[in-house]
Amino acid sequence: MVADHGVLDPETDPLATFVLEPDDLRELAGRVVGSPEAGTRTHHAPWTRAPLATLPQSTAEDVARAARAARAAQRRWGAVPARDRARLLLRVHDLLLERQSDVLDLVQLENGKARGAAYEEVADVALVARHLGRAAPRYLAPERRPGLVPGLTSVRVRHDPVGVVGVVAPWNYPLSLTLGDVLPALAAGDAVLLRPDPQTPLTALWVVELLEDAGMPRGLVQVVLGDGPTVGAAVVDHVDHVVFTGSTETGRVVAARAAERLVPSTLELGGKNGMYVAEDVDVEAAAEGAVRACFGGTGQLCMSVERLYVHRDVHDAFAAAFARRTRALRVGTGLDHRADIGSLTSAEQLARVVEHVEDALSGGARVLAGGVHRTDLGPYVYEPTVLEGVGEHARASRDETFGPVVALSPVASDDEAVAALNDSAYALNASVWTRSTRRGAALAARLRAGSVNVNDGYQASWGSVAAPQGGRGASGWGHRHGREGLLALTATRTVAVQRGVHGVRVGGRTVLPPLGPGRVLSGDPERWTAAATAVLRAARGARLR
Ligand code: NAD
């Protein structure tokens, strides 16, 4: 799909000349539900600001039309047995791995990240596809629950498709946060109305092509393009469940809009994630882990670490090792694995990073590594940056930077570390490093976070896709991954079948008189309530659940 590989030279390699073949682009553009009134939009490559593609956009009426088409497709898909739907996910898994180099190129070109970070997205989605491909039929199978009258009330809980799921995705993980959220919806029997971020539409359109090539019925995933406050908001108006990933501020707007329609939402929002390094660690191993935790995805990752608390007994040794390893990272651009850290994605992202660093420095912070905007490598390339002495009220201490910047501070004890880690409105991810897994588990139990990783930054919990992943507080609500993430996209129905209402007759004789609520009204209410109370007491004594 891409005609050349190598590190970009912004002077001589305008991306427009070497990106997509016109036929490929036409094919992808043809999948947008758009119309001429909405016009077109050209999006640009972060590495050079060169135009990548010009795509049709959608009006609010296009969104309504796409939702109708998705709903029609869902009626047939929802009737397909869960086992057959799951098979599609396993085919997607295989095809994704086969075609990975195409999507790695697209993710890098649209987002600017390093190839290794783009590969993390491929691996992440493959894990989700495999897990749900194997486990979804079991998660979705009707469950037996204890009934009201043991032996006479049989209860099944069913997990039916919810209908059309709206996915409003950001730009930072363009494959994980589109395909990764589409797969559980498809497994649940839902259709999807997908609105990718305007910065990363090509990856989302490629995803639809992949799904169809894997055997997904055409029309089940509809893509609309346009601004968040117009097209993103219109998606919320037409779906039965909203999956939103983005900032806390926008999450509040989306949740309120969904709530107006009494439609549930899953909100995966920001984080200001902290890591604690205890005094018993192998300093070099912890420093390497911290580098991965802080700078993966150029720090534009909701799970990445931006606050690093180190026990004072190892603080200086850790700081030296961490700064050395950070400075050794290869920063750059290019469709290969030569760079460890890529570019930021946009001018807004660069401005936020620069502002946080300058604000910290003006308050007395010092730079241990990085702190340089590398215009020689690309317009938005910023070196991975380690700061120490960042003031408690500095923006880099409290607000999400969403870039490759971390504030390093010493702490005197586990208690001080726990207090510092919990001192945030966000509660998405936390990380603890200690040689003692028992101490790690005890610390984890005291942390307010949707996930805690012991001796890892974020990959251990994120990659364990059988377990739920989500935040609390300003980091959102609901979960992706695991049984919880799948069942969130279903409508739960309890079916209770009552036996005995007609009485039980054996050999022409009534051995059990008709039961049921009618007896309360038409029988002797006082005798009935006395008997019912006796039964309640007996059930308590018999420890019935
Ligand atoms: P953002 O909130 O500005 O935008 C997110 C998306 O929402 C964009 O595509 C935007 O166009 C759209 N949008 C804007 N207004 C909207 C509206 N009224 N209705 C519907 N959609 C609207 O966030 P961003 O800066 O683009 O993304 C980065 C943020 O996402 C960070 O805060 C990051 O932590 C968060 N994030 C969270 C997770 C997670 O899983 N918790 C994952 C990735 C990113």
Side-chain angles (χ1 to χ4, degrees):
M1 186 177 277
V2 172
D4 193 9
H5 280 219
V7 172
L8 285 178
D9 175 356
E11 299 301 315
T12 56
D13 282 334
L15 274 168
T17 61
F18 94 132
V19 181
L20 287 168
E21 304 295 342
D23 282 353
D24 289 336
L25 185 56
R26 246 192 308 280
E27 177 85 20
L28 292 179
R31 293 174 186 279
V32 180
V33 182
S35 49
E37 306 89 81
T40 58
R41 183 197 289 248
T42 301
H43 73 300
H44 297 84
W47 286 343
T48 60
R49 292 201 197 99
L52 271 176
T54 299
L55 292 170
Q57 302 292 293
S58 315
T59 61
E61 177 43 41
D62 293 327
V63 178
R65 184 158 59 90
R68 283 194 297 274
R71 214 166 273 292
Q74 191 276 327
R75 276 186 215 110
R76 291 184 295 278
W77 182 244
V80 171
R83 197 169 303 280
D84 296 335
R85 299 195 304 250
R87 276 197 201 106
L88 168 70
L89 271 66
L90 294 175
R91 289 196 298 273
V92 170
H93 170 278
D94 298 346
L95 207 53
L96 172 65
L97 293 185
E98 207 176 297
R99 295 184 183 175
Q100 59 176 282
S101 82
D102 286 349
V103 76
L104 289 174
D105 288 349
L106 281 182
V107 167
Q108 283 199 278
L109 291 168
E110 292 195 308
N111 171 279
K113 64 176 67 177
R115 200 160 186 86
Y119 181 76
E120 272 190 21
E121 298 198 50
V122 169
D124 166 46
V125 176
L127 288 169
V128 171
R130 188 192 69 206
H131 176 66
L132 291 179
R134 297 266 182 245
R138 187 161 35 86
Y139 291 158
L140 294 168
E143 299 165 60
R144 265 179 102 118
R145 299 279 174 95
L148 171 64
V149 184
L152 293 181
T153 319
S154 68
V155 173
R156 293 277 189 290
V157 178
R158 292 181 50 94
H159 304 291
D160 299 321
V162 76
V164 179
V165 172
V167 175
V168 179
W171 44 266
N172 62 327
Y173 273 65
L175 180 67
S176 285
L177 301 177
T178 54
L179 185 54
D181 285 334
V182 166
L183 291 176
L186 295 180
D190 298 318
V192 177
L193 183 52
L194 172 62
R195 203 287 327 209
D197 190 272
Q199 176 61 38
T200 50
L202 291 173
T203 305
L205 293 166
W206 183 90
V207 157
V208 180
E209 189 171 272
L210 176 85
L211 288 164
E212 287 180 1
D213 290 351
M216 180 190 77
R218 231 185 142 87
L220 203 51
V221 176
Q222 302 277 333
V223 180
V224 289
L225 296 184
D227 284 337
T230 51
V231 173
V235 166
V236 178
D237 292 343
H238 291 283
V239 297
D240 306 302
H241 185 107
V242 183
V243 176
F244 173 78
T245 307
S247 64
T248 304
E249 198 186 356
T250 312
R252 286 200 177 97
V253 175
V254 168
R257 193 161 183 136
E260 279 289 321
R261 298 182 52 238
L262 296 179
V263 161
S265 52
T266 304
L267 303 178
E268 304 274 2
L269 310 178
K272 188 71 188 175
N273 311 302
M275 172 187 283
Y276 170 46
V277 178
E279 78 294 343
D280 63 350
V281 294
D282 174 329
V283 164
E284 288 297 331
E288 181 54 30
V291 165
R292 273 187 275 121
C294 298
F295 305 125
T298 325
Q300 298 180 133
L301 165 63
C302 55
M303 304 281 286
S304 69
V305 167
E306 297 189 353
R307 300 181 292 146
L308 190 36
Y309 303 100
V310 183
H311 196 285
R312 65 181 174 199
D313 291 357
V314 288
H315 176 272
D316 293 354
F318 177 88
F322 182 47
R324 172 172 36 80
R325 285 173 183 275
T326 302
R327 281 192 294 269
L329 290 170
R330 298 163 304 169
V331 183
T333 58
L335 294 167
D336 55 33
H337 285 280
R338 274 185 282 170
D340 303 309
I341 303 289
S343 169
L344 291 165
T345 303
S346 62
E348 293 77 30
Q349 280 297 111
L350 176 70
R352 182 147 76 157
V353 166
V354 169
E355 193 188 322
H356 278 210
V357 173
E358 284 178 355
D359 173 61
L361 296 183
S362 71
R366 295 167 299 281
V367 175
L368 293 188
V372 181
H373 175 197
R374 294 291 299 270
T375 45
D376 55 321
L377 298 175
Y380 313 134
V381 177
Y382 196 89
E383 283 185 354
T385 300
V386 182
L387 301 174
E388 69 171 359
V390 179
E392 200 187 323
H393 300 293
R395 296 200 61 193
S397 285
R398 309 216 72 84
D399 300 345
E400 184 181 44
T401 307
F402 215 53
V405 179
V406 60
L408 183 67
S409 316
V411 285
S413 64
D414 286 4
D415 287 349
E416 200 183 309
V418 168
L421 288 170
N422 285 343
D423 182 21
S424 173
Y426 294 109
L428 187 61
N429 181 42
S431 167
V432 171
W433 287 71
T434 165
R435 234 179 248 274
S436 159
T437 46
R438 175 183 289 215
R439 181 176 172 190
L443 283 164
R446 298 171 64 193
L447 295 176
R448 182 175 160 273
S451 57
V452 180
N453 286 274
V454 178
N455 295 327
D456 190 68
Y458 60 86
Q459 285 164 324
S461 70
W462 182 269
S464 301
V465 293
Q469 182 68 59
R472 291 153 60 180
S475 296
W477 60 42
H479 296 97
R480 49 165 64 92
H481 290 178
R483 187 171 191 270
E484 291 81 353
L486 181 67
L487 295 190
L489 308 181
T490 63
T492 301
R493 183 160 26 154
T494 295
V495 179
V497 176
Q498 190 60 45
R499 295 193 183 79
V501 283
H502 305 294
V504 178
R505 289 170 69 80
V506 178
R509 279 186 49 230
T510 299
V511 294
L512 194 66
L515 299 165
R519 303 283 293 173
V520 184
L521 300 178
S522 59
D524 178 341
E526 276 176 21
R527 274 186 59 199
W528 195 93
T529 50
T533 302
V535 169
L536 285 172
R537 289 199 173 112
R540 162 88 165 82
R543 296 177 184 275
L544 286 185
R545 281 192 296 129

